[in-house]
Amino acid sequence: MPRTGRPREYDRDAALRAATHLFWEHGFDAVSLEQLLKAMGGLSKASFYAAFKSKEQLYRDAVAYYLVEHGRVSDDLVNPALPPRKRLEVALRRTAAMQCDPSHPSGCLIGLSAMTAATGGLNALTADERARNRALIGQCVREALASGELKPGVEPDGVAALLDGLLLGISIMARDGVPRDTIDAAISSGFSDWRSDL
Amino acid sequence: MPRTGRPREYDRDAALRAATHLFWEHGFDAVSLEQLLKAMGGLSKASFYAAFKSKEQLYRDAVAYYLVEHGRVSDDLVNPALPPRKRLEVALRRTAAMQCDPSHPSGCLIGLSAMTAATGGLNALTADERARNRALIGQCVREALASGELKPGVEPDGVAALLDGLLLGISIMARDGVPRDTIDAAISSGFSDWRSDL
DNA sequence: TCCCTTTTAGAATAGGCGGTCTACAAGTCG
DNA sequence: CGACTTGTAGACCGCCTATTCTAAAAGGGA
């Protein structure tokens, strides 16, 4: 952006990525500014505050970055090209794959922040996102009920809550090192109320 | 225990309970000693260190207290008087009831600590407990497979992981205020691979 | 070249942290 | 009544926290 002035000596995007990984791994409270500075390329405190304003603002930016960079795995929940079941299953499987990817911290930043970031309105940031996902899952299931994709007689609210709970639980399982195959098997078992034909 | 000396002015058990609730609500890192002292009855720092040794030791005591006082809801996983399915279902339903009880923080201290308490060996404390539960669930499912309680052709590892994931996810759902009825419906849906007769 | 803008390093600040120390208070026991 | 034991109040410690300030440095534009 700036056309004049001394150029910065670090890569801002790389710094934000590193900060995101740190928050993802440990949560807002448990990460100190010192850790952040070192991980973000060794910039000085002055540089940090000039570029990122504050630790809290950095966290907000990190959540936004996470949603764009890793949270897209659940975008298929609203993919109009897929029938409801596929929307749900693809979202779950892509989520599992992402959360088990060893190239970044395991689990989901949004889900794991349910306890962390208690101070200020930071918790609402991730809670809103979880509520949004919950609503989308409910919508898929309701559509599936109407279109006959669900086996007759099943309770749609229960199915939706089961898949929501599983999706959230995957974060903790991935954190605990449960292998992806096992999580994928769990997802398969989560769809036994659905017709595989059709 | 001490038969002599000045009697303490606070209730040690009540103090431990209050501390447990604080850790339960916010996690180890996010709770300060000052907060603890106030919640534990307004005792002084000297009294605190005399009775509880350190913040970290208090956390360990709090986890132990939690397991005895609230963690017993999953004891039925090893109840020899129940068939495997009942063991699992009772444990899940009692867990849901406990975690939605408004008389204490919502969710499960053990599950929600997957991210918190990163420092030292504190994380292992709760991770071990989660691994133990995971093993018990697997054992129930394997027994059920052998005894024919599971519908033929289902994948036992998937069923076990599904129930494990749901159990963990309940913590976050409860945290987010999902009502107990909804969680109970999720549990019901989680058993559709099982024979209800027999 | 000199100015202007932006970033830099590093010192400084103010407050919070977990934890300790000292002096005193409140009981029991002989 | 002392002697002893235990708990309490509050000052104190050193460290770490997030944040700000000062002064120098590194580029572009004219």
Side-chain angles (χ1 to χ4, degrees):
Chain A
M1 294 307 180
R3 297 201 318 279
T4 180
R6 175 175 176 173
R8 56 166 62 103
E9 295 177 358
Y10 62 95
D11 181 339
R12 198 189 189 279
D13 286 4
L16 179 56
R17 176 164 9 102
T20 303
H21 284 198
L22 226 45
F23 284 134
W24 191 349
E25 181 88 48
H26 305 294
F28 179 78
D29 297 297
V31 174
S32 76
L33 204 61
E34 217 80 28
Q35 288 178 267
L36 286 167
L37 295 177
K38 193 190 299 184
M40 293 168 80
L43 37 60
S44 73
K45 298 191 177 191
S47 306
F48 173 85
Y49 281 95
F52 298 99
K53 190 161 170 58
S54 74
K55 183 187 174 187
E56 179 167 333
Q57 185 55 47
L58 172 65
Y59 180 79
R60 294 179 191 277
D61 291 349
V63 170
Y65 173 85
Y66 173 90
L67 287 174
V68 169
E69 201 70 15
H70 302 97
R72 291 226 192 278
V73 290
S74 51
D75 277 5
D76 284 301
L77 283 177
V78 291
N79 184 340
L82 298 177
R85 177 198 161 123
K86 272 293 165 209
R87 296 213 294 270
L88 287 163
E89 185 169 350
V90 169
L92 277 161
R93 295 211 187 274
R94 292 186 61 197
T95 294
M98 186 276 283
Q99 296 191 15
C100 293
D101 184 340
S103 73
H104 52 65
S106 56
C108 169
L109 172 63
I110 305 299
L112 291 168
S113 293
M115 186 175 217
T116 340
T119 31
L122 289 191
N123 192 19
L125 244 182
T126 55
D128 285 356
E129 206 56 37
R130 293 194 297 275
R132 190 175 151 275
N133 251 283
R134 191 138 42 228
L136 293 179
I137 291 173
Q139 198 169 319
C140 285
V141 173
R142 262 175 275 118
E143 274 185 51
L145 185 71
S147 71
E149 267 195 300
L150 276 171
K151 289 183 182 172
V154 309
E155 228 285 283
D157 290 350
V159 170
L162 172 66
L163 296 177
D164 183 33
L166 173 60
L167 182 65
L168 294 167
I170 288 174
S171 276
I172 304 179
M173 287 199 283
R175 243 325 130 95
D176 283 343
V178 173
R180 188 183 156 196
D181 292 356
T182 305
I183 295 177
D184 254 326
I187 295 172
S188 299
S189 291
F191 283 95
S192 53
D193 274 337
W194 298 63
R195 301 175 53 173
S196 49
D197 53 341
L198 212 173
Chain B
M1 293 315 171
R3 298 202 319 279
T4 179
R6 176 175 174 174
R8 55 167 64 100
E9 294 178 357
Y10 62 94
D11 181 338
R12 197 188 190 280
D13 286 4
L16 179 56
R17 176 164 9 101
T20 303
H21 285 197
L22 226 44
F23 284 134
W24 191 350
E25 182 88 49
H26 304 294
F28 179 78
D29 297 298
V31 174
S32 75
L33 205 60
E34 217 81 26
Q35 288 177 266
L36 286 167
L37 295 177
K38 194 190 299 184
M40 292 168 80
L43 38 60
S44 73
K45 292 192 178 188
S47 306
F48 174 84
Y49 281 95
F52 298 98
K53 186 155 175 61
S54 73
K55 184 188 173 186
E56 179 167 331
Q57 186 55 47
L58 173 65
Y59 180 78
R60 294 178 191 278
D61 291 348
V63 169
Y65 173 85
Y66 174 88
L67 287 174
V68 169
E69 200 69 16
H70 302 98
R72 292 225 192 278
V73 290
S74 51
D75 278 4
D76 283 302
L77 283 177
V78 292
N79 184 341
L82 297 176
R85 179 201 160 119
K86 273 293 165 213
R87 297 213 292 271
L88 288 163
E89 185 168 351
V90 169
L92 278 161
R93 296 210 186 277
R94 291 187 61 196
T95 294
M98 186 275 284
Q99 295 191 16
C100 293
D101 184 340
S103 74
H104 52 65
S106 55
C108 169
L109 172 63
I110 306 299
L112 291 169
S113 293
M115 187 176 217
T116 340
T119 31
L122 289 191
N123 193 19
L125 244 182
T126 55
D128 286 354
E129 205 57 36
R130 293 194 297 275
R132 189 175 150 275
N133 250 283
R134 190 139 42 227
L136 292 179
I137 291 173
Q139 197 169 320
C140 284
V141 172
R142 263 177 275 117
E143 273 186 51
L145 185 71
S147 71
E149 269 194 297
L150 275 171
K151 289 183 182 172
V154 308
E155 227 286 283
D157 290 349
V159 171
L162 172 66
L163 296 177
D164 183 33
L166 174 60
L167 182 65
L168 294 167
I170 288 175
S171 276
I172 304 179
M173 287 199 283
R175 244 323 131 93
D176 284 343
V178 172
R180 188 183 156 195
D181 292 357
T182 305
I183 295 177
D184 254 325
I187 295 172
S188 299
S189 291
F191 282 97
S192 52
D193 273 337
W194 298 64
R195 300 176 54 175
S196 49
D197 54 342
L198 214 170

